[in-house]
Amino acid sequence: MMRCVSRRSCSVVRRYLSSHQSLEKVKPVENRALDESHFRDKVVSRSPANTDIEDILNKKQQLSVNDEATCGLFGLDTTNLEEHFVSITTKCDDLLNQLTTSSTDETLQLADDLVRNIVSVSDMALFLAQSTSDKREGGRDILKKAEKYMNKLNSSNVVFSALKRVVEDSETWELMDSESRRAILVLLVDCKNNGADLAPDQHAEVQNLIKQVGREGVSFVKESVVPVRIPIEECPETLLSLPVKDDKIVLSDWADESTSASIREHAWRNYYRHDGRREAILHNLLRKRHKLATATGYKNYAERAIQGSMAGSTVAVKEFIDETHDQLRPSARDEMYEMEKFKYMQSKFWYNRGYAAVGEVVMFPWDTGYISEDYRSLYIKQDSRVKPNLPDFLSVGSVVEQIGVWMEDTYGVTLVAERPVRGELWHSDVIKLAVEHEKEGLIGLLYLDFYTSDKKRSPPCHHVIRSRADKQLPVGVIECNYTPGNGYRPPHLNINTFEKLFQELGSAVHNMLSRNKLFMTNSSFLSPDVKMISEYLHQNLSRNPTVLNHIMKHHTRTRVLPRVSPISVTAITNAQQIMRAHEVEQQLAMSAVDLDLHSGFPSLDGRSSTDVYSWNLEKYTHLPYIEDTAPHLRTHQLYTQGGQLYSHLWCRAISNILYKELFAVDPFSRHAGEYFREHFLQHGAGKKPREMVEYLTGSKLTADRLATALVTPIEHSAKFASGFKVFGSGMGVKQWWHREVSGSPETPLFSRLSSSHPHLVGPDGQLKVPPPFDRENMLRLRERSSAQKLGETQSTQQIAES
């Protein structure tokens, strides 16, 4: 498939090129000898060509296992986890003893070796605990022990005192490079946060508080995912179509995909109903966290969580949230208005049956997800004359192969299928890829575990088994839960799962491109408001029409994607960006709730967390608060990312800036890829992330600039929907509304309907609610009678009277 790409580079890249020679693409050398001596004793044989990846993942071809040698998982010795953990902790104890008498020149390397050993065990145990391997239970036991030992090291006065001696030795400190200094300062802060600098009695109090916070947090996470069970006899009639177990309706989510507004409403109200037990657990968690923060020298827990991040302070975070809200509000208001009209149009079909529209054409929390997704779906399908099966162009094998081609163009990185050694994999479906750089050779190994298993977590996730450091080969795993294909059709993705896979693959390779001499400064140690920059940058790239046009290929290799409306690449990428303002609004509200709870806990003036939630929801969004509900009590991120929920929006804003500066014009630019790697990726956590981003973009990061970067794409996406033809009526939403509804659009439609059509009013004085919206039935009836078309020119009153 041909790509038509402009080779114009942005101003930032041009500045880079002015002082560097032009980088020409170097063809990979065939049969390159790979130096894996630092990882394994033997080099396994290789798949002959990169093109085999598609056939392997689509299960048209299978690589045989190399029986010449055997090894443990990932080529590491994991046959006896318990013995391995004991040997590592013994080694760490020896290093700890050496720190007590070490010179300032030796301290940094000893501390780095100490962290490397225990983190390597912890990373492996974390993967095994969540994997489908037979070592799952053993992994969980080792993970608990490893976390306990890591906490012991973080709170060790021996480590803190040794590092402090280095800082106080001015001669040694001056001779250190910036990466070494940063590693020491970051480790000192970790030790301080665990009470390593305190007196024995205060140290014991901090350790006790850390344990209590952990217990309360685990309880809160467990309670946040507990399903709601409603006895059938007490269940509203609208929910009887939902799953039943032991004569009870089970709500494990709030049925946001249901076409029935009444089902969505009742499910949402029941699932998010306020629960006093969850409120009490959250209150105890906040109280313990505040005590922990004050005991370690901070004003509140939010200050402790944000300290060391790119934002730097709670004031900067609050300023970012408020500035984004101010800039986003007009777009969000217009979007909400469009969604209300779309909701009205969905119910308009029922007027000829004597029903009114749903509710008062007001958007509720249970409507936004369904309406926006339906809007995007119809945007793609607006022209029914051309409707190929979109997933046929997103087979798993084809997507991975073409992402690899994009990486080769951008970073000079190639994905090559490799034969596994017996014992190296935990399942026969797992695929092993070698990640090669055209100049540096083998830079990492990546294992793809893609197919369905009951033990897996549903969303794709990236596990770091081994991070990049001096003479250490990175190893990563990408775990997904895709449905396997059959003999006629390979496993395939939809547009959302494709975006997620692109993010995870990109992030995995980014981790392998870092170059740090110390383990403590690799990309795994980045703060939360920096870690997700790579993910959101790849999400932007996956929505680039040029990239998507390159990746989408029919699995039979005999058809190409139609480039005409509606299933065109541009339509797909545009659809992924429209109706997003309300999502950002809700993220702003939850970020504000998180910040208020963790920074103002002692001064809540008797308000509960639900009061804080309702106040922020009405301040930052256009949605009403529903009485007797508390969705924040189902948000487990209040524990797992306490004080740092803002980081999602922060990273998205920075990734938008980087995407616009580097990849928007030419997403395949090698110059941009090399520039991004040289000044951002390869440093990992060895430099201050704010300084790296400001150098890359050429200007300071202010709240106004971040907010603008976050809001501008949303404002631009509104133009995509402005020409959207409503149900094939040939008119945009705005034009349809003005033509169909007499009077001003701001006039309450239902106050007019209730007075002009009394038969629409029920015995309770409320307007009748129509049956669940059935689009297929609507389309059949529309074809039967042109008089019932949604684009007909009759007025609302004429339709109701008919």
Side-chain angles (χ1 to χ4, degrees):
M1 186 179 294
M2 294 181 63
R3 289 185 282 108
C4 182
V5 185
S6 170
R7 291 297 172 184
R8 236 176 358 100
S9 297
C10 66
S11 58
V12 176
V13 178
R14 284 199 295 271
R15 291 199 302 271
Y16 168 72
L17 292 176
S18 63
S19 58
H20 292 71
Q21 293 182 351
S22 178
L23 297 170
E24 296 182 359
K25 181 177 176 182
V26 180
K27 294 182 179 179
V29 180
E30 296 183 1
N31 301 322
R32 183 193 301 111
L34 301 176
D35 179 16
E36 292 182 283
S37 57
H38 55 278
F39 182 62
R40 270 195 308 274
D41 293 331
K42 295 186 178 181
V43 179
V44 297
S45 58
R46 312 298 296 274
S47 180
N50 186 38
T51 53
D52 287 342
I53 291 178
E54 179 176 357
D55 290 337
I56 295 168
L57 285 172
N58 288 348
K59 298 195 173 183
K60 295 179 181 178
Q61 177 184 341
Q62 188 169 3
L63 287 177
S64 59
V65 176
N66 185 353
D67 293 322
E68 297 177 0
T70 58
C71 63
L73 289 179
F74 310 109
L76 306 174
D77 183 13
T78 56
T79 52
N80 193 317
L81 291 173
E82 187 65 36
E83 291 181 3
H84 182 58
F85 176 74
V86 171
S87 66
I88 290 294
T89 52
T90 302
K91 186 186 297 185
C92 289
D93 289 338
D94 292 338
L95 292 170
L96 202 59
N97 292 331
Q98 293 178 44
L99 274 175
T100 58
T101 58
S102 65
S103 65
T104 53
D105 296 333
E106 300 171 336
T107 298
L108 179 60
Q109 191 58 52
L110 289 172
D112 192 59
D113 291 341
L114 190 64
V115 174
R116 185 205 308 268
N117 280 286
I118 193 61
V119 170
S120 64
V121 175
S122 178
D123 286 343
M124 173 66 80
L126 178 62
F127 167 74
L128 293 175
Q130 298 175 349
S131 72
T132 58
S133 71
D134 55 358
K135 296 181 171 59
R136 189 184 183 102
E137 293 302 324
R140 289 176 177 173
D141 293 338
I142 297 301
L143 181 61
K144 292 178 182 178
K145 294 178 181 178
E147 289 177 344
K148 186 176 180 180
Y149 193 86
M150 287 176 68
N151 186 55
K152 170 188 171 183
L153 293 179
N154 284 334
S155 60
S156 170
N157 186 262
V158 173
V159 177
F160 180 80
S161 300
L163 294 173
K164 192 174 180 181
R165 286 199 307 270
V166 176
V167 176
E168 293 173 348
D169 186 345
S170 58
E171 184 177 348
T172 304
W173 186 255
E174 289 296 329
L175 294 174
M176 284 186 172
D177 57 18
S178 59
E179 182 180 342
S180 300
R181 292 180 186 177
R182 180 165 173 78
I184 290 177
L185 292 176
V186 169
L187 196 54
L188 275 172
V189 171
D190 287 342
C191 291
K192 179 187 174 184
N193 288 344
N194 284 270
D197 61 330
L198 301 176
D201 55 340
Q202 294 173 315
H203 177 270
E205 181 187 357
V206 167
Q207 292 303 303
N208 186 41
L209 285 170
I210 290 174
K211 292 178 183 178
Q212 292 179 19
V213 167
R215 285 195 294 267
E216 294 292 344
V218 171
S219 299
F220 181 71
V221 171
K222 287 181 178 179
E223 286 292 325
S224 69
V225 295
V226 171
V228 176
R229 292 176 171 83
I230 309 174
I232 291 182
E233 58 272 12
E234 301 175 10
C235 186
E237 186 177 348
T238 53
L239 297 183
L240 294 179
S241 60
L242 297 180
V244 179
K245 184 177 181 180
D246 298 331
D247 295 329
K248 293 182 179 180
I249 298 292
V250 180
L251 296 175
S252 56
D253 204 341
W254 50 274
D256 60 332
E257 295 181 356
S258 173
T259 57
S260 169
S262 56
I263 288 180
R264 294 199 304 270
E265 177 182 356
H266 282 96
W268 193 93
R269 287 180 180 274
N270 281 278
Y271 185 73
Y272 289 120
R273 190 179 302 280
H274 182 270
D275 187 287
R277 174 179 168 79
R278 292 194 196 99
E279 182 85 58
I281 293 174
L282 179 59
H283 181 86
N284 288 334
L285 174 63
L286 295 172
R287 182 164 52 86
K288 300 292 185 185
R289 276 182 161 173
H290 182 72
K291 284 185 177 180
L292 176 61
T294 54
T296 51
Y298 298 96
K299 293 180 181 178
N300 50 63
Y301 188 82
E303 182 182 291
R304 171 189 163 106
I306 294 172
Q307 189 267 343
S309 66
M310 195 185 297
S313 68
T314 56
V315 175
V317 174
K318 185 66 174 175
E319 185 181 354
F320 166 67
I321 292 174
D322 290 339
E323 182 65 30
T324 304
H325 169 248
D326 293 341
Q327 293 191 27
L328 181 67
R329 195 163 187 81
S331 297
R333 182 177 59 246
D334 293 343
E335 181 179 291
M336 195 62 63
Y337 185 42
E338 293 290 318
M339 293 173 73
E340 289 174 354
K341 290 184 287 186
F342 191 76
K343 180 179 177 181
Y344 166 72
M345 284 184 289
Q346 284 188 332
S347 58
K348 172 178 175 283
F349 172 71
W350 298 100
Y351 279 8
N352 64 342
R353 301 189 179 186
Y355 289 100
V358 180
E360 295 182 351
V361 198
V362 173
M363 293 300 296
F364 293 101
W366 51 82
D367 291 324
T368 54
Y370 172 75
I371 295 294
S372 58
E373 191 61 36
D374 205 29
Y375 195 100
R376 285 190 283 268
S377 177
L378 287 176
Y379 180 87
I380 295 178
K381 299 177 181 178
Q382 56 184 314
D383 188 345
S384 59
R385 291 172 297 175
V386 183
K387 196 187 298 181
N389 193 2
L390 186 60
D392 283 345
F393 297 90
L394 290 172
S395 66
V396 173
S398 175
V399 166
V400 174
E401 181 188 275
Q402 296 306 314
I403 290 176
V405 173
W406 171 80
M407 289 178 176
E408 184 177 0
D409 281 358
T410 310
Y411 301 116
V413 167
T414 308
L415 303 179
V416 183
E418 181 174 328
R419 289 178 62 196
V421 177
R422 182 166 299 282
E424 187 177 359
L425 308 181
W426 55 98
H427 194 279
S428 59
D429 285 340
V430 177
I431 306 299
K432 177 185 177 184
L433 299 181
V435 183
E436 297 182 15
H437 191 274
E438 59 188 22
K439 295 180 180 178
E440 302 171 22
L442 185 67
I443 62 171
L445 293 175
L446 193 58
Y447 295 82
L448 308 181
D449 186 3
F450 277 175
Y451 299 114
T452 308
S453 172
D454 294 337
K455 297 179 181 179
K456 283 186 184 177
R457 298 185 296 179
S458 293
C461 55
H462 170 224
H463 296 278
V464 177
I465 305 300
R466 174 179 276 178
S467 300
R468 164 69 67 182
D470 186 32
K471 293 184 179 180
Q472 180 169 276
L473 189 71
V475 180
V477 178
I478 295 180
E479 234 181 10
C480 305
N481 212 8
Y482 302 144
T483 303
N486 52 43
Y488 301 97
R489 192 183 187 195
H492 58 274
L493 309 173
N494 58 41
I495 194 67
N496 295 319
T497 52
F498 156 70
E499 280 190 4
K500 189 62 179 173
L501 178 58
F502 199 129
Q503 291 179 40
E504 299 299 338
L505 271 172
S507 299
V509 173
H510 274 193
N511 286 336
M512 296 176 182
L513 290 173
S514 64
R515 293 292 177 268
N516 304 99
K517 69 174 186 178
L518 296 173
F519 182 82
M520 292 186 292
T521 56
N522 70 63
S523 55
S524 299
F525 290 84
L526 287 168
S527 60
D529 58 358
V530 186
K531 273 186 177 180
M532 291 176 286
I533 289 177
S534 177
E535 288 188 28
Y536 287 125
L537 178 62
H538 282 91
Q539 184 182 71
N540 288 334
L541 285 163
S542 69
R543 293 175 180 177
N544 185 291
T546 306
V547 174
L548 193 59
N549 184 49
H550 167 74
I551 287 176
M552 299 186 79
K553 182 176 67 173
H554 199 272
H555 65 86
T556 63
R557 305 185 185 183
T558 59
R559 294 171 58 192
V560 296
L561 188 69
R563 298 192 185 186
V564 295
S565 178
I567 311 297
S568 65
V569 174
T570 303
I572 297 168
T573 54
N574 290 353
Q576 290 302 101
Q577 300 179 67
I578 60 178
M579 293 294 169
R580 298 292 183 185
H582 72 280
E583 295 178 3
V584 176
E585 270 196 331
Q586 292 180 55
Q587 286 180 297
L588 285 173
M590 281 308 305
S591 299
V593 170
D594 175 57
L595 192 65
D596 287 350
L597 292 178
H598 286 98
S599 63
F601 177 76
S603 57
L604 291 180
D605 299 327
R607 295 183 299 163
S608 66
S609 66
T610 304
D611 296 330
V612 174
Y613 170 78
S614 62
W615 187 85
N616 281 290
L617 182 73
E618 294 181 351
K619 176 182 178 181
Y620 290 102
T621 75
H622 289 78
L623 295 173
Y625 169 69
I626 308 301
E627 292 296 330
D628 196 31
T629 61
H632 68 291
L633 297 179
R634 292 277 189 180
T635 308
H636 62 82
Q637 289 88 348
L638 286 177
Y639 168 64
T640 57
Q641 300 176 35
Q644 299 172 334
L645 272 181
Y646 76 94
S647 59
H648 292 270
L649 294 175
W650 186 281
C651 288
R652 185 182 291 277
I654 293 176
S655 67
N656 287 350
I657 295 173
L658 295 175
Y659 172 74
K660 181 181 177 182
E661 291 286 338
L662 299 176
F663 297 105
V665 174
D666 182 1
F668 288 83
S669 170
R670 172 64 66 86
H671 305 312
E674 292 288 347
Y675 181 78
F676 183 53
R677 182 190 180 186
E678 179 180 344
H679 295 288
F680 189 84
L681 295 179
Q682 73 176 13
H683 298 294
K687 281 189 174 182
K688 292 182 179 180
R690 193 182 191 101
E691 293 178 357
M692 291 191 291
V693 172
E694 289 177 347
Y695 182 86
L696 270 171
T697 59
S699 59
K700 295 289 184 181
L701 288 180
T702 62
D704 177 71
R705 189 181 181 207
L706 290 170
T708 302
L710 195 60
V711 173
T712 300
I714 295 173
E715 293 176 341
H716 182 63
S717 68
K719 300 176 183 177
F720 301 151
S722 61
F724 176 35
K725 297 179 180 180
V726 181
F727 295 107
S729 63
M731 293 175 295
V733 174
K734 198 167 188 178
Q735 293 82 354
W736 185 91
W737 177 267
H738 280 287
R739 196 186 72 172
E740 290 295 312
V741 182
S742 58
S744 170
E746 286 77 21
T747 305
L749 174 66
F750 282 81
S751 62
R752 299 201 309 276
L753 284 176
S754 59
S755 59
S756 59
H757 302 282
H759 64 282
L760 297 179
V761 182
D764 57 353
Q766 301 294 321
L767 293 171
K768 296 178 181 178
V769 178
F773 178 69
D774 186 345
R775 183 180 299 103
E776 295 298 328
N777 184 45
M778 181 195 71
L779 293 175
R780 285 195 297 270
L781 291 175
R782 187 186 68 176
E783 292 172 358
R784 249 182 247 165
S785 172
S786 60
Q788 293 182 359
K789 286 183 179 180
L790 293 181
E792 62 190 351
T793 57
Q794 297 178 354
S795 66
T796 306
Q797 181 176 354
Q798 290 171 329
I799 295 174
E801 290 176 347
S802 66

